[in-house]
């Protein structure tokens, strides 16, 4: 935010400098009209400048400060009107001398609408959009990391459970193999799937001959 406000101040200063530069260009155009005392020579030009460069008023003053030619823009409309009332589109007073050669023959005064707010809002909305996308990207990365952590934890739990089950089955098989009591396991159709050594000794046949038989 500090960087944004610093940029906004710099941007407004640049806008004022550009406005003053444009006013000096207008002064170079209208200076001959004041020198020759022909206001109609600058009337059309200043009318166009008022409409196209965002001025509220342009006035040409002679050496005594008398108004030689004055031009006003139409009243603001739409958003500009309300922003101006709120003070968000201020009117800046600008002035530059009129030169004929090395002689100052008058002044060109302007009241200029400073509409830097539109550029500042555009940049602010862009920053908000970039911040929103960055925050969303960070949330996605965080969710991915959390998912990977949960998957790794679940994998570890399953590995431990499988290891414990394998150990339990090994202990069970060892106890069944060593017990003197005959033990057998079979399907619902009565076909044998496992016999222990005691069962083989009881029937006098090897396990390979018994497994799969009814």
């Amino acid at each position: 935010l500090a960087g944004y406000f610093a940029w906004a101040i710099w941007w407004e200063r640049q806008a004022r400098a550009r406005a003053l530069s444009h006013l000096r260009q207008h002064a170079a155009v209208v200076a001959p009209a004041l020198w020759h005392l022909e206001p109609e020579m600058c009337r059309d030009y200043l009318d166009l400048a008022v409409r196209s460069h965002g001025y509220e008023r342009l006035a040409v003053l002679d050496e005594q400060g008398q108004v030689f030619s004055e031009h006003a823009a139409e009243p603001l409309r739409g958003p500009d009107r309300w922003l101006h009332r709120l003070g968000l589109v201020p009117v800046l007073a600008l002035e530059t001398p009129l030169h004929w050669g090395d002689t100052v023959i008058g002044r060109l005064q302007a009241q200029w609408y400073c509409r830097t707010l539109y550029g500042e809002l555009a940049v602010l909305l862009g920053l908000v959009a970039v911040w929103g996308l960055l925050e969303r990207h960070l949330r996605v990365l965080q969710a991915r990391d959390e998912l990977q952590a949960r998957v790794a934890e679940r994998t570890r739990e399953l590995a431990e459970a499988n290891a414990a089950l394998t150990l339990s089955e090994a202990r069970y098989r060892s106890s069944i193999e060593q017990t003197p009591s005959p033990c057998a396991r079979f399907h619902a159709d009565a076909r044998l799937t496992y016999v222990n050594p005691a069962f083989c000794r009881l029937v006098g046949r090897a396990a390979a001959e018994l497994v799969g038989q009814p």
Side-chain angles (χ1 to χ4, degrees):
L1 289 177
Y4 170 76
F5 285 119
W7 171 85
I9 293 173
W10 174 86
W11 175 255
E12 185 171 341
R13 289 179 178 176
Q14 290 294 110
R16 294 187 182 192
R18 288 192 298 270
L20 186 57
S21 176
H22 290 158
L23 189 65
R24 288 169 181 164
Q25 295 175 9
H26 301 329
V29 174
V30 301
L34 178 58
W35 177 258
H36 295 290
L37 299 178
E38 295 181 0
E40 63 275 3
M41 291 178 59
C42 63
R43 182 177 298 116
D44 293 339
Y45 176 79
L46 290 182
D47 283 341
L48 178 61
V50 164
R51 293 194 301 269
S52 60
H53 288 84
Y55 294 107
E56 181 186 39
R57 174 180 171 272
L58 277 173
V60 179
L61 307 181
D62 59 19
E63 291 178 299
Q64 288 74 35
Q66 301 297 320
V67 176
F68 175 73
S69 181
E70 185 175 13
H71 307 267
E74 296 180 357
L76 292 177
R77 299 177 181 177
D80 285 343
R81 177 184 178 185
W82 297 105
L83 292 174
H84 176 63
R85 288 185 175 182
L86 294 174
L88 299 176
V89 177
V91 176
L92 304 181
L94 304 174
E95 182 176 300
T96 188
L98 296 174
H99 292 275
W100 184 257
D102 296 332
T103 305
V104 176
I105 60 175
R107 299 189 309 277
L108 179 61
Q109 293 181 344
Q111 291 178 336
W112 176 67
Y113 291 112
C114 183
R115 292 182 172 89
T116 56
L117 177 68
Y118 290 104
E120 295 166 2
L121 287 177
V123 172
L124 181 60
L125 291 176
L127 291 175
V128 171
V130 171
W131 176 258
L133 292 175
L134 179 60
E135 184 181 9
R136 180 179 178 182
H137 178 66
L138 293 177
R139 286 201 304 267
V140 170
L141 292 180
Q142 182 180 6
R144 185 195 64 183
D145 293 341
E146 292 177 354
L147 179 60
Q148 290 178 347
R150 288 198 299 268
V151 169
E153 179 66 19
R154 183 57 178 165
T155 301
R156 185 186 62 81
E157 292 176 355
L158 290 175
E160 293 177 354
N162 289 334
L165 179 61
T166 300
L167 180 60
S168 177
E169 290 180 349
R171 290 175 178 175
Y172 173 75
R173 180 176 292 277
S174 177
S175 63
I176 293 298
E177 293 284 340
Q178 296 175 9
T179 182
S181 301
C183 294
R185 185 174 61 237
F186 47 86
H187 283 304
D189 61 358
R191 292 186 179 275
L192 293 169
T193 60
Y194 169 79
V195 292
N196 69 343
F199 190 92
C200 295
R201 289 192 297 270
L202 176 65
V203 299
R205 299 178 63 181
E209 299 176 1
L210 296 174
V211 173
Q213 298 299 320

